[in-house]
Amino acid sequence: MISYLKKADLPDLLQAWADKMDVLAPILEEGQISFTTWKGQPLDLSANALVSPAKIISPREEILFRYIQESGTYRFLRPDQKPRLIFGMRPCDLRALQVLDRIYGAPPPDQAYLDRRRSAVLAVLNCTNPGPGCFCAALGAGPDADEGYDLLFTDLGNGYLVESGSPAGIVLIKNSPDLLPAVSDLADSLLTDKGRVVGLCRDQVISSFPGMSVERIREGMESAEWERLGQICSYCAGCSFVCPVCHCFTIYDRGVPDGQRIRCADSCMTSGFSRLTSGSNPRPSQGDRLRNWYLDKFEYILARTGLAGCVGCGRCSQVCLSPDICLRSFLESLCSREMTTNKFADAGESKGEGKSIRK
Amino acid sequence: MDGREMRDYIPYQVEIVDIDRVTSDSYLISLQILDREVFRYRPGQFIMVSVFGLGECPISIASTPTRNTLQICIRRAGKITSGIMDSMIGDVLGVRGPCGNGFPLDFMKKDILIAGGGSGFATLRSLINFIADRREQFGNVAVAYGARTRQDLYFMQEYKGWQMAGIQVAVTVDVGDQGWTGNVGMVTSLLDRLEIPPGSAAICGPPVMINSVAARLMEKGFQLPDIFVSLERHMKCGVGKCEHCMIGPHHVCMEGPVFSYDRVRQYL
Amino acid sequence: MQTIPTTCIYCGCGCGLMLHVEEGRVVAASPQINHPLSQGHLCLKGWLAYQFLDHPDRLRRPMIRKGERLVPSSWDQALDLARDELSTLLRESGPASLGVLTSAKASNEENFLLMKLARAGLKTNNVDHVARLCHAPTLAALSSALGSGSMTNPIVSLRKSDMILVAGSNTTEQHPLVAFHILQARKTGAEIVVVDPRRTAMARLADLHLAPLPGTDAAWINGLLRAILDLGLEDRQFIEARTEGFEEARAALDPYTPQMVEQVTNIPADDLVLAASKLGSANRAAFVYAMGITQHYWGTDNVQALANLALATGNVGRDGTGIYPLRGHQNVQGACDMGALPDYYSGYQPVSSSRSRFERAWKTDLPAEIGLTAVEMMDAAQAGRIKGMIISGENPMLSFPDQTQVRAALEELDFLLVVDIFPTETARLANVVLPAASFAEKEGTFTSTERRVQLARGAVSPPGEAWPEWRIWADLLTRFEVDCLYESAAQIMEEIASLTPSYGGISHSRLGTGGLVWPCPNHDHPGTPILHVDSFPIGRARFRPVEYKAPSEKPDEEYPFLLTTGRSLFQFHTGTMTRRVPLLEREVPEPFLDISPPDARQLGLKDGTYISVESRRGRLIARARVTPDVNPGHLFLPIHFLEGPANLLTSRYRDPISGMPALKEAAVRLRRL
């Protein structure tokens, strides 16, 4: 279903949704865009948020269940998830959720994730203003979304093209006929406008790292000096905390005899992540851990889910405390290597083409 | 293993019904499952054991499904294992599982060599007792086991029974003392003392030991795919989500903990 | 979901944090992109700064001692008891029998009120805080040399430096965001010289690493200055226009030839001269230092020597230059600023000269006699002269030198009131324990190491019945009949501003992203990131000759190793917070002792061996970590662990000027277990 929303009507639409559920939208907080419960505040859709809205579904910390001791044995309570609508999620973050769906959904499925996932309606906004470190197009993760959303918004200047991608999305459009009228006769021209807007953005993203692709990255990884990079790493683990795909977690208990079992984001960039109680560590150096992070993103998750474990959002590079080792500078080094060694570049280029253009 | 507890992480409850001292710092703990009728498992599988308030960790099943009681062998290593050891008979713990694949008995040859080092012997005890109970289904079976000192040897009182069941047992320690008349040295040093025709092998222990035993077995004519190793990794979820146990692209908790040696050799 | 901007609780960097709240729980922390210092970055502790908030160990109810046990009580009951006990002591033994330790973790408003309670309520100047154990020498030396005891420039100023000298600071681990800016400066051409007995990560990444013997700092700093003068690289113009006392200081440098320095410090003479030429030829040089310089018997002299160096090379008062004492707590600067010191009111207004101003404002008599320092209070308590104490958010049982003596001192007290967020080792000895709100549960300001006054905002409610600390002190002030009515932290800041010239223009409503940098004398003032641009508060800066004196304790046959103590990246201070954060505790779960490979070989130690470490004062067990990052003869032990409390071993020799204990000078011996 295709509809059109006048920009001036967006607050009314959000309000209509907010009457029924928690609406989370990008809002300026201390000069910084953050997905926050919308209560009429002005939105800021000019850039993506540093903390991905995917973290609402796969949070840094959540209660798995409460345990309550009663005469020696235990009773368990799982938290309820209330209905949410996430407005303004970008395609890269949607792609992250698609990767997580496949990981958490693989048997045995992870109930806590599925509960959050199913309680959330995704109103995705096609990207028209990528950041300087974005390379979603190289990974087929953006700048536009082609599936997985409930509603898809595209900024066409004065208003938004609104497309439904699921039964829930159709219901949302039908429930607000005044704000979201059907546009059957205009659909073709609106879709043409969308193609133009998205195409411009795609060109912009591709131009930052021309010819980049998963294959290029994997080739580059083979010659990366992991040990040297590991020595520069500041050990902040920020990359793994902001990555929308990173989902490593640990589980810990809080409270005796009653309490909560909590799952919280872990980081494979810490030495304790893989260390055994005996003290031996399968990934003893920071270089090993850095390499593993790249391998997981560009090989293991790809093999597991069919999708790369990186969506090209650039957040890891934005927070990296040792910017020389961040993914962005790794990509930059690959691009500059192309200039110096043509042979390497040719191989990368020809392979890269097929992957970087998705449709 | 796709039970409810693996989806929502809420464990079954088990009562501690017996505690036996195995060595100075390890106990064999017998568990009675309270809220589940049947608990089916295979030798080589593990369970996620909870002490509520301290957390959850993976523990090998030390008992055999051919006998009634579910047993685990715990050595004081971290916070949670200490919590389990400090529990008393009648206390309630949580259990999720069984997790992992266990030893692929259907694919293993009839002649089996079982080699273990240190606390890795708990999971092998499950296999040994299983074989002892179904002795007729197996051929030549030998056990080679090593620990740091005489005091660290697991399940000493059971060796006799295994031998009575026609299983060869050879034991070694790294550091001998006055009371020790047996072998001193690595587990590999036992391999020549046992009669082990090339068949299948089940190994559990530190990577160095696994590699040296596997190398010696190949010299003796074992085929690479017939050598099965049980790996120990840091784990939190047991269901392939938390990513702690990854070894290369493999999840030890789901694809393992038992791997054929050729699949994981490059990572050890 | 809400996002609340606030300030990190850990080190003095004062990074900007966003706390993410879901259903009344803080579920994540992330960096503030626009923060002037942290600029969208955080260290591992910062990313996890929320995880201790809802720990079940949090103090939730006031408790009072009944015999051996602490039992829950009402706030009224507990506060009444505190008032009664403290007033009885005040009446019967006089104000000198009372002492107060404020907290470098509490807000400015809370430090100010507790300082006010000590002076106006308990009538004593016995008020101090943990700065005594970190930067008291800085305050003493820089106040007299420059007229201000604080960091001269903002940390981002380092990005403009040509040369950065980092001395006695494990910057990448202790002040990761300072290290970030230093390393970014290096990328754009700044040269980095690190002086540290340990091969820290910063030392490995530096252009030049000098490794002096611990406790010989004055010698190499003097040597460096002498070499610069010998090369004729001093800034004559600056010396003549802006300083005094240069000639005396110069005369005292005569003995410090590179050869003599090499003999004393083990720094090769050529390296020293190389460092001198780098430093002397830099247009903008900066001097970054931390506990490696201050925690010594002669800590004040060490800082003065560094100040001499900065003055002689004209590296004060410009962007890219300056002296950067790195502070270890997020509000240790603020606690000093608020006058939690025995000799100063807020804004470093001396008790000797500013008493009448505060008496007028507070409408009560104030004590004239200078109070005792933190460590002196412990002595006085042990001797029975101090009988009652208030300790807020501080854990002297682990953080103070010579733990055995601290325990004896605290046990000797007739009455001890402890306010904290967790039941610390110190709280266990208290008569009354009051539960406080943490940084994420209250409003208030913190002043970072670069004098940046920033707002912390309440993200969630305090656990149980816990109160923001300012409310506790406001209540006690009323119970001591000191005229005060505060309804919010913002109101307290109004009083601070009215009494403190350097905070005169600061109010909560002005503190947006990045806050304001004091001095900020009035409401239109934009703050003063760089000090001493045109003149010093004391007119001309003062050189003072510094003489190298041997450390208080040297290795000998009986105790052949020299032990220094410090922190690890993954734990903080006495671990009350970080040890309750699962990922941090997992990284470094137990005390470790860094030992060099040759020493380990000689003792037959392997990595991971448990070993007994013994000094003349105590003994503990740690796990050896064999690393080439320490030199033979030198050991390093972190201070975070109750099960291996480094301060059982440390010495109580004190810097005669600042009262700083010589925490980094203990001779120890090792025994295999």
Side-chain angles (χ1 to χ4, degrees):
Chain A
M1 221 178 156
I2 292 182
S3 179
Y4 184 82
L5 174 74
K6 284 182 277 187
K7 279 199 174 164
D9 288 345
L10 180 56
D12 289 345
L13 183 62
L14 294 180
Q15 189 57 56
W17 291 339
D19 291 340
K20 299 193 189 95
M21 52 195 155
D22 198 10
V23 172
L24 298 142
I27 290 161
L28 219 49
E29 208 67 78
E30 200 83 357
Q32 179 170 340
I33 298 167
S34 187
F35 277 81
T36 301
T37 299
W38 183 81
K39 294 184 186 123
Q41 307 96 310
L43 301 186
D44 190 330
L45 302 171
S46 65
N48 204 353
L50 179 63
V51 175
S52 165
K55 298 292 178 196
I56 298 163
I57 311 293
S58 168
R60 289 265 302 279
E61 180 148 333
E62 68 181 323
I63 296 171
L64 285 175
F65 57 85
R66 293 173 199 280
Y67 48 88
I68 299 141
Q69 200 189 53
E70 283 168 353
S71 56
T73 60
Y74 290 86
R75 194 158 60 83
F76 304 102
L77 289 175
R78 294 186 59 234
D80 290 329
Q81 291 303 325
K82 59 179 178 188
R84 299 184 177 91
L85 183 142
I86 303 174
F87 176 79
M89 173 184 269
R90 304 283 170 131
C92 53
D93 289 327
L94 174 65
R95 168 54 61 87
L97 283 184
Q98 291 171 324
V99 178
L100 293 178
D101 287 349
R102 297 181 189 191
I103 290 172
Y104 279 116
D110 185 294
Q111 201 59 47
Y113 175 83
L114 292 183
D115 286 354
R116 280 181 181 265
R117 182 74 166 95
R118 286 174 184 150
S119 70
V121 178
L122 306 180
V124 173
L125 176 67
N126 269 335
C127 196
T128 49
N129 34 25
C134 290
F135 55 103
C136 54
L139 302 165
D144 56 328
D146 56 2
E147 58 174 8
Y149 51 79
D150 294 300
L151 288 177
L152 178 64
F153 287 64
T154 308
D155 187 344
L156 299 179
N158 295 321
Y160 296 99
L161 171 71
V162 184
E163 297 165 84
S164 64
S166 73
I170 293 171
V171 171
L172 285 176
I173 292 182
K174 285 195 166 164
N175 280 350
S176 301
D178 299 343
L179 299 168
L180 293 171
V183 288
S184 40
D185 44 339
L186 282 170
D188 283 349
S189 86
L190 290 173
L191 286 172
T192 311
D193 288 352
K194 172 191 168 186
R196 184 178 44 79
V197 167
V198 165
L200 283 173
C201 180
R202 178 178 298 277
D203 293 345
Q204 196 186 333
V205 174
I206 290 175
S207 68
S208 311
F209 302 100
M212 193 49 64
S213 69
V214 175
E215 285 77 6
R216 285 278 305 284
I217 294 170
R218 284 165 69 161
E219 280 171 16
M221 281 161 54
E222 280 165 27
S223 53
E225 301 169 79
W226 299 112
E227 277 312 308
R228 187 183 64 77
L229 296 174
Q231 277 169 13
I232 305 172
C233 176
S234 294
Y235 225 111
C236 74
C239 48
S240 56
F241 291 133
V242 283
C243 174
V245 179
C246 274
H247 58 280
C248 290
F249 60 83
T250 189
I251 299 176
Y252 66 95
D253 284 7
R254 282 273 158 95
V256 178
D258 301 344
Q260 301 152 357
R261 182 154 291 175
I262 294 167
R263 138 154 101 191
C264 76
D266 205 330
S267 172
C268 61
M269 298 306 291
T270 63
S271 79
F273 182 82
S274 48
R275 190 178 57 231
L276 295 163
T277 40
S278 65
S280 75
N281 196 333
R283 289 196 284 277
S285 78
Q286 196 66 357
D288 295 330
R289 297 189 270 274
L290 200 59
R291 175 169 174 269
N292 179 69
W293 192 75
Y294 276 81
L295 278 171
D296 198 37
K297 300 231 159 295
F298 297 105
E299 279 195 40
Y300 303 157
I301 291 181
L302 187 64
R304 208 167 148 194
T305 67
L307 299 169
C310 171
V311 297
C313 68
R315 290 185 176 99
C316 52
S317 306
Q318 205 180 339
V319 301
C320 184
L321 198 47
S322 308
D324 290 345
I325 65 163
C326 73
L327 185 51
R328 185 178 174 180
S329 57
F330 176 72
L331 298 183
E332 280 164 359
S333 78
L334 286 187
C335 288
S336 64
R337 206 182 306 174
E338 178 188 327
M339 319 270 252
T340 49
T341 44
N342 273 325
K343 204 174 158 195
F344 182 84
D346 288 343
E349 196 77 63
S350 57
K351 272 195 208 162
E353 290 282 295
K355 197 73 189 180
S356 64
I357 295 171
R358 192 159 44 89
K359 283 183 182 170
Chain B
M1 65 154 269
D2 189 357
R4 186 213 73 204
E5 84 283 10
M6 301 321 280
R7 292 164 174 259
D8 64 14
Y9 299 97
I10 297 182
Y12 288 98
Q13 299 184 59
V14 297
E15 185 182 329
I16 296 179
V17 292
D18 198 12
I19 301 176
D20 269 335
R21 187 178 282 273
V22 174
T23 67
S24 60
D25 67 345
S26 58
Y27 295 157
L28 186 65
I29 297 178
S30 302
L31 304 170
Q32 166 84 47
I33 300 190
L34 298 179
D35 44 6
R36 193 169 175 177
E37 288 297 315
V38 277
F39 187 80
R40 288 184 212 287
Y41 62 94
R42 293 187 293 279
Q45 287 191 294
F46 66 94
I47 51 180
M48 301 297 297
V49 181
S50 292
V51 184
F52 295 102
L54 293 180
E56 195 180 42
C57 69
I59 308 280
S60 308
I61 300 175
S63 54
T64 163
T66 49
R67 300 178 196 177
N68 273 331
T69 318
L70 175 67
Q71 290 175 321
I72 52 177
C73 186
I74 306 282
R75 193 171 60 88
R76 207 176 282 275
K79 200 175 57 174
I80 302 165
T81 47
S82 295
I84 299 172
M85 290 184 75
D86 294 340
S87 302
M88 287 179 287
I89 290 178
D91 283 356
V92 171
L93 305 176
V95 161
R96 291 190 297 128
C99 305
N101 55 358
F103 290 103
L105 288 163
D106 294 343
F107 299 97
M108 288 169 78
K109 297 189 168 153
K110 299 291 169 222
D111 295 336
I112 296 183
L113 178 271
I114 296 166
S119 54
F121 202 44
T123 192
L124 298 176
R125 174 184 184 254
S126 172
L127 179 63
I128 298 166
N129 280 332
F130 183 89
I131 292 173
D133 290 352
R134 305 220 172 140
R135 189 67 188 87
E136 68 288 354
Q137 297 175 12
F138 296 89
N140 183 75
V141 180
V143 174
Y145 172 50
R148 210 175 69 82
T149 69
R150 180 166 62 106
Q151 286 77 23
D152 298 317
L153 285 168
Y154 278 20
F155 315 124
M156 273 176 90
Q157 65 283 14
E158 301 185 36
Y159 303 164
K160 269 265 150 53
W162 297 342
Q163 283 165 335
M164 306 253 288
I167 296 171
Q168 304 172 66
V169 180
V171 178
T172 184
V173 296
D174 294 341
V175 186
D177 62 23
Q178 285 176 341
W180 179 253
T181 52
N183 193 71
V184 176
M186 307 241 289
V187 173
T188 34
S189 68
L190 297 174
L191 298 180
D192 293 329
R193 302 168 153 231
L194 294 163
E195 190 193 327
I196 31 178
S200 284
I203 315 175
C204 185
V208 186
M209 181 227 138
I210 290 177
N211 285 331
S212 61
V213 170
R216 188 77 193 90
L217 291 180
M218 285 184 318
E219 285 167 21
K220 286 182 172 290
F222 280 67
Q223 299 298 306
L224 248 177
D226 290 330
I227 300 175
F228 294 94
V229 298
S230 175
L231 299 183
E232 196 192 345
R233 276 294 182 281
H234 189 147
M235 286 177 193
K236 278 294 167 189
C237 72
V239 287
K241 317 288 188 210
C242 80
E243 320 293 4
H244 281 88
C245 68
M246 282 189 83
I247 165 167
H250 309 294
H251 285 93
V252 173
C253 68
M254 296 286 285
E255 297 166 59
V258 180
F259 290 90
S260 77
Y261 184 56
D262 54 348
R263 256 179 103 199
V264 293
R265 182 183 191 187
Q266 58 175 309
Y267 306 112
L268 291 180
Chain C
M1 301 236 14
Q2 288 90 44
T3 310
I4 288 99
T6 191
T7 305
C8 182
I9 185 69
Y10 288 118
C11 74
C13 288
C15 298
L17 273 192
M18 291 287 194
L19 294 180
H20 302 265
V21 178
E22 186 185 70
E23 315 262 315
R25 283 183 79 228
V26 181
V27 294
S30 67
Q32 278 180 27
I33 298 171
N34 303 317
H35 191 272
L37 170 76
S38 49
Q39 304 178 355
H41 308 275
L42 288 175
C43 73
L44 184 60
K45 285 198 291 281
W47 281 102
L48 301 171
Y50 64 95
Q51 263 190 339
F52 62 85
L53 293 173
D54 62 353
H55 196 281
D57 290 351
R58 280 292 298 274
L59 293 171
R60 277 154 219 271
R61 297 189 63 183
M63 289 189 290
I64 56 179
R65 180 162 299 281
K66 287 260 154 57
E68 289 299 296
R69 292 184 32 228
L70 285 163
V71 298
S73 81
S74 71
W75 273 101
D76 247 341
Q77 211 182 349
L79 289 166
D80 272 342
L81 180 64
R83 190 233 11 237
D84 292 348
E85 294 282 340
L86 290 167
S87 338
T88 307
L89 288 171
L90 182 59
R91 202 171 49 244
E92 290 173 0
S93 311
S97 71
L98 300 174
V100 173
L101 291 183
T102 79
S103 173
K105 283 266 154 283
S107 69
N108 286 324
E109 291 79 0
E110 290 162 345
N111 271 285
F112 184 82
L113 277 203
L114 182 50
M115 179 278 281
K116 180 172 177 179
L117 176 66
R119 293 184 156 126
L122 308 180
K123 306 291 180 192
T124 178
N125 281 320
N126 291 342
V127 53
D128 202 5
H129 69 285
V130 75
R132 193 60 52 196
L133 308 177
C134 58
H135 274 297
T138 296
L139 189 55
L142 295 189
S143 298
S144 88
L146 312 177
S148 164
S150 313
M151 194 183 276
T152 60
N153 291 44
I155 290 158
V156 288
S157 194
L158 293 168
R159 300 284 279 266
K160 305 275 174 57
S161 306
D162 307 317
M163 136 97 210
I164 303 171
L165 179 81
V166 181
S169 156
N170 181 8
T171 329
T172 56
E173 295 203 37
Q174 302 321 315
H175 299 89
L177 265 293
V178 175
F180 169 75
H181 289 293
I182 294 175
L183 294 172
Q184 289 304 102
R186 183 167 191 269
K187 266 173 82 174
T188 51
E191 286 202 273
I192 315 292
V193 175
V194 170
V195 190
D196 201 302
R198 289 199 290 158
R199 211 164 293 98
T200 58
M202 191 52 95
R204 280 194 296 270
L205 298 169
D207 298 283
L208 180 62
H209 173 211
L210 312 180
L213 293 172
T216 62
D217 299 290
W220 68 258
I221 304 172
N222 278 346
L224 204 51
L225 181 50
R226 193 202 136 120
I228 286 169
L229 298 174
D230 286 350
L231 293 165
L233 292 172
E234 73 273 22
D235 186 338
R236 275 276 146 206
Q237 209 187 344
F238 185 90
I239 294 169
E240 274 158 33
R242 310 245 349 233
T243 70
E244 62 190 33
F246 173 68
E247 285 310 322
E248 296 96 293
R250 164 176 215 144
L253 294 174
D254 265 353
Y256 300 91
T257 61
Q259 292 68 30
M260 177 271 194
V261 172
E262 174 165 348
Q263 223 162 35
V264 173
T265 66
N266 258 1
I267 295 173
D270 290 348
D271 283 358
L272 188 79
V273 175
L274 180 61
S277 70
K278 282 180 192 288
L279 180 56
S281 50
N283 182 30
R284 293 162 189 271
F287 303 83
V288 177
Y289 71 93
M291 303 297 89
I293 290 295
T294 59
Q295 287 183 333
H296 289 286
Y297 191 20
W298 300 102
T300 305
D301 281 357
N302 291 345
V303 179
Q304 176 68 48
L306 270 182
N308 290 350
L309 193 56
L311 291 172
T313 51
N315 282 310
V316 179
R318 288 177 293 138
D319 204 6
T321 69
I323 302 177
Y324 302 73
L326 302 181
R327 301 229 169 206
H329 285 274
Q330 105 281 22
N331 203 34
V332 70
Q333 179 68 50
C336 290
D337 297 347
M338 291 302 109
L341 297 167
D343 41 356
Y344 290 106
Y345 299 114
S346 59
Y348 309 96
Q349 301 173 78
V351 167
S352 52
S353 58
S354 303
R355 185 156 56 97
S356 56
R357 174 182 196 179
F358 282 83
E359 286 181 331
R360 272 198 309 280
W362 292 344
K363 303 189 188 77
T364 185
D365 294 339
L366 296 177
E369 194 187 343
I370 299 301
L372 300 178
T373 65
V375 193
E376 286 166 350
M377 281 187 237
M378 290 299 157
D379 290 349
Q382 195 180 19
R385 293 196 306 279
I386 279 193
K387 298 176 191 300
M389 280 189 85
I390 299 177
I391 299 180
S392 141
E394 178 53 63
N395 190 11
M397 282 291 290
L398 274 189
S399 62
F400 277 43
D402 196 351
Q403 205 197 345
T404 317
Q405 190 252 353
V406 173
R407 171 179 285 276
L410 295 178
E411 281 174 348
E412 194 64 30
L413 294 173
D414 292 346
F415 180 76
L416 174 61
L417 167 64
V418 170
V419 177
D420 214 311
I421 63 171
F422 283 113
T424 61
E425 294 67 40
T426 307
R428 286 182 232 287
L429 300 176
N431 301 81
V432 174
V433 179
L434 300 176
S438 76
F439 81 110
E441 298 150 358
K442 66 184 179 193
E443 298 262 313
T445 59
F446 298 121
T447 305
S448 77
T449 187
E450 52 178 3
R451 292 175 280 114
R452 189 179 296 285
V453 185
Q454 308 187 88
L455 202 54
R457 296 174 178 85
V460 289
S461 356
E465 299 169 18
W467 282 7
E469 226 182 274
W470 62 264
R471 197 174 150 199
I472 301 174
W473 308 131
D475 185 289
L476 272 175
L477 274 165
T478 314
R479 283 171 204 260
F480 275 92
E481 289 163 5
V482 178
D483 187 27
C484 77
L485 263 182
Y486 305 104
E487 312 224 311
S488 67
Q491 239 174 27
I492 303 167
M493 183 48 83
E494 285 171 26
E495 180 173 326
I496 296 169
S498 73
L499 283 169
T500 314
S502 52
Y503 279 65
I506 292 176
S507 63
H508 282 203
S509 58
R510 284 191 74 193
L511 301 176
T513 315
L516 281 166
V517 179
W518 69 258
C520 175
N522 58 59
H523 289 287
D524 308 315
H525 197 283
T528 316
I530 302 180
L531 294 177
H532 318 311
V533 174
D534 301 312
S535 66
F536 292 92
I538 47 173
R540 282 170 171 269
R542 292 181 198 129
F543 282 94
R544 181 169 66 78
V546 169
E547 190 191 333
Y548 163 71
K549 301 180 203 79
S552 57
E553 198 168 87
K554 274 185 155 177
D556 52 27
E557 262 181 31
E558 207 183 345
Y559 295 91
F561 292 96
L562 188 66
L563 175 79
T564 62
T565 61
R567 293 175 180 168
S568 137
L569 169 60
F570 305 104
Q571 298 280 8
F572 187 80
H573 215 54
T574 67
T576 44
M577 294 179 291
T578 50
R579 299 206 70 187
R580 292 178 169 96
V581 174
L583 263 60
L584 295 176
E585 174 69 357
R586 191 180 67 191
E587 285 303 289
V588 183
E590 58 185 349
F592 61 83
L593 179 81
D594 280 351
I595 181 168
S596 70
D599 286 341
R601 247 192 322 276
Q602 200 174 3
L603 289 161
L605 294 179
K606 277 197 281 196
D607 208 49
T609 315
Y610 286 101
I611 185 162
S612 149
V613 192
E614 257 175 85
S615 79
R616 290 184 172 83
R617 292 153 296 274
R619 163 177 182 271
L620 58 82
I621 291 169
R623 205 164 182 162
R625 203 168 78 166
V626 181
T627 164
D629 296 346
V630 291
N631 283 327
H634 178 201
L635 307 170
F636 174 81
L637 183 73
I639 63 168
H640 316 292
F641 301 94
L642 174 65
E643 61 271 38
N647 282 320
L648 269 179
L649 309 177
T650 47
S651 129
R652 298 181 67 248
Y653 285 104
R654 287 171 212 158
D655 175 11
I657 303 172
S658 65
M660 161 65 84
L663 291 167
K664 294 221 192 310
E665 300 173 2
V668 299
R669 61 186 174 205
L670 301 178
R671 208 159 43 76
R672 274 193 66 167
L673 291 175

